[in-house]
Amino acid sequence: MASKALRSCLLRRGAQTTSTSSSAAAASTTSSIQQQRGMAIPADPLARFRQLANATPVGEKPRVLITGSLGQLGRGLATMLRFMYGEDSVLMTDIRKVRADETDVCNYHFLDILNEGAIDEAVVNGRVTTLIHFSALLSAVGEQNVPLALKVNCQGVQNILEVAKRHSLKVFIPSTIGAFGPETPRVDTPDITVQRPKTIYGVSKVYAELLGEYYHHRFGVDFRSLRFPGIISATKPGGGTTDYAIKIFYDALKDGHHVCYLRPDTRLPMMYDTDCTASVLFFLAAQSSSLSMRTYNVTGFSFTPEEIAASIRKFMPDFRITYEICPMRQRIADSWPQSLDDSIARADWAWKNDYGLDQTTEIMIALIKREMAREKGESPKAVIA
Ligand SMILES: NC(=O)C1=CN([C@@H]2O[C@H](COP(=O)(O)OP(=O)(O)OC[C@H]3O[C@@H](n4cnc5c(N)ncnc54)[C@H](O)[C@@H]3O)[C@@H](O)[C@H]2O)C=CC1
Ligand SMILES: CC(=O)[C@H](N)C(=O)O
């Protein structure tokens, strides 16, 4: 199904097609729910996406516009959508210029989500059926520019929902563990609970959840949202509190040492990139009638900086971690859940994560080694043999 170029792009982005022997259990969590999730990397990680594509009737194949598509999550999702539904199925949009090394970016257009008319135009001209709204300012950068975070995260969501209403689009707007706060139960946090976030990012995401649900009930907009934990990918993160869980791998491979801005015992929920992509695509494909809610928790596994360092040491025994705490990010992390209960997503639309901590570590190390080999002009080996 995938062309050679697309296939190599999927490999680079972590959607490996070769098998691996890793079968470590994802047990690094205090959560009883998550302790049950022993797992091995699937022999064919693309199988679930291929099956979903094959099960979609030709007339129902989506045409998807992704906002903020050059960020951490957008490029991987766009690549997978092209793999599943064809080269023309995705319009990638953002407000910055594409770099020469971003060779996976195709069908790309400038789109500022603060310009509602421009969103209308892109949707009409592109015959779009589904909006995936990724543009946002994340938790740490949001705290540094509150007025801009309010504009991008709140005005942007309003514009997207208005356009979705006008053109009867399906619309996905991600939420986050940041939509919870210190008063929320922090272990196995349920879907419906206290939400009093203390960051502008969290406040704007609660607004997005509630406004989207309002547009659904009031105007029939097919709004869907998932509360993601921190996402781990071999792409540059956009300025969040969970970013250390990506940088730690780059530092491990470059210097053998990572200086962590969170305390060693700070436990947060996380998920591997390919599972994040799967959660969006399977959720969007679910029948409306199977959804008991419009905003669901989804998660992979939880760990502390100490525990991810231990996981890295299984592959790089000399790896060292030291700590220089950033008070702002620590305060944010201390107000977020340590683990999420996503059992309703599992029951309603069969959500399931395929990757645990050790599988994620193994893949991240392989992907970054491959990236470094390319940068040095060497011809990299297959990701995981
Ligand atoms: N990465 C993560 O760990 C998590 C992400 N999420 C959510 O997923 C979504 C995507 O996240 P990431 O890709 O990590 O974010 P990111 O920060 O990497 O990318 C956001 C993109 O939005 C673009 N953008 C900013 N202002 C814009 C504007 N006015 N018009 C159009 N685009 C604009 C930026 O240029 C950037 O490429 C966000 O809504 C985020 O809140 C939720 C939980 C976890
Ligand atoms: C969990 C998130 O929403 C994001 N990665 C952040 O740390 O801000």
Side-chain angles (χ1 to χ4, degrees), residues 245-298:
I246 296 174
K247 190 163 188 300
I248 196 169
F249 291 106
Y250 283 91
D251 288 350
L253 284 153
K254 268 199 212 119
D255 310 322
H257 175 217
H258 173 71
V259 182
C260 187
Y261 55 73
L262 295 181
R263 273 195 324 267
D265 62 347
T266 310
R267 184 175 301 282
L268 288 169
M270 304 271 180
M271 177 156 75
Y272 180 58
D273 189 30
T274 305
D275 275 334
C276 174
T277 296
S279 71
V280 177
L281 296 175
F282 280 82
F283 182 43
L284 280 174
Q287 292 296 320
S288 256
S289 55
S290 68
L291 306 181
S292 61
M293 302 186 296
R294 288 281 150 176
T295 305
Y296 290 85
N297 292 347
V298 285

Side-chain angles (χ1 to χ4, degrees), residues 26 37-49 271-272 274-276 278 299-301 346 351-357 359-360 363:
R37 294 181 191 163
M39 55 184 61
I41 295 176
D44 178 2
L46 291 178
R48 57 181 163 166
F49 298 101
M271 177 156 75
Y272 180 58
T274 305
D275 275 334
C276 174
T299 192
F301 43 90
R346 287 169 191 267
W351 155 241
K352 175 181 156 303
N353 63 303
D354 274 359
Y355 298 82
L357 173 58
Q359 294 78 42
T360 300
I363 289 170

Side-chain angles (χ1 to χ4, degrees), residues 108-272:
Y108 176 72
H109 305 270
F110 175 89
L111 181 62
D112 182 347
I113 47 115
L114 297 178
N115 183 345
E116 190 181 325
I119 309 174
D120 260 328
E121 196 177 324
V123 162
V124 171
N125 291 345
R127 290 178 289 116
V128 167
T129 61
T130 305
L131 278 173
I132 295 186
H133 179 48
F134 274 174
S135 304
L137 259 61
L138 273 65
S139 58
V141 289
E143 288 310 291
Q144 279 148 22
N145 193 342
V146 172
L148 184 63
L150 279 170
K151 260 202 220 159
V152 174
N153 296 11
C154 297
Q155 185 63 50
V157 162
Q158 280 171 232
N159 291 346
I160 289 288
L161 287 169
E162 270 299 309
V163 173
K165 180 180 87 170
R166 220 161 15 248
H167 302 288
S168 305
L169 308 178
K170 194 177 266 192
V171 56
F172 176 80
I173 305 181
S175 187
T176 161
I177 48 171
F180 298 114
E183 293 93 349
T184 306
R186 292 186 67 208
V187 175
D188 291 347
T189 303
D191 291 285
I192 306 290
T193 184
V194 180
Q195 288 187 266
R196 315 291 294 173
K198 299 292 182 270
T199 59
I200 195 62
Y201 177 58
V203 170
S204 67
K205 286 294 184 177
V206 174
Y207 176 72
E209 290 179 12
L210 294 179
L211 197 68
E213 291 182 9
Y214 173 79
Y215 268 65
H216 172 66
H217 297 304
R218 174 86 166 76
F219 303 117
V221 172
D222 191 350
F223 163 80
R224 302 180 186 208
S225 179
L226 296 176
R227 288 192 200 103
F228 293 146
I231 307 301
I232 302 179
S233 63
T235 42
K236 194 175 171 293
T241 304
T242 59
D243 290 7
Y244 92 88
I246 296 174
K247 190 163 188 300
I248 196 169
F249 291 106
Y250 283 91
D251 288 350
L253 284 153
K254 268 199 212 119
D255 310 322
H257 175 217
H258 173 71
V259 182
C260 187
Y261 55 73
L262 295 181
R263 273 195 324 267
D265 62 347
T266 310
R267 184 175 301 282
L268 288 169
M270 304 271 180
M271 177 156 75
Y272 180 58

Side-chain angles (χ1 to χ4, degrees), residues 10 63 67 102 195 202 210 212 219 246 297 323 336 370:
L10 286 167
R63 278 182 65 80
T67 69
E102 292 176 314
Q195 288 187 266
L210 294 179
F219 303 117
I246 296 174
N297 292 347
Y323 297 90
W336 285 359
R370 193 181 152 93

Side-chain angles (χ1 to χ4, degrees), residues 326-344:
C326 164
M328 191 256 292
R329 293 192 204 223
Q330 186 66 56
R331 209 169 30 250
I332 295 174
D334 287 342
S335 75
W336 285 359
Q338 296 184 335
S339 57
L340 292 183
D341 176 357
D342 59 3
S343 53
I344 303 185

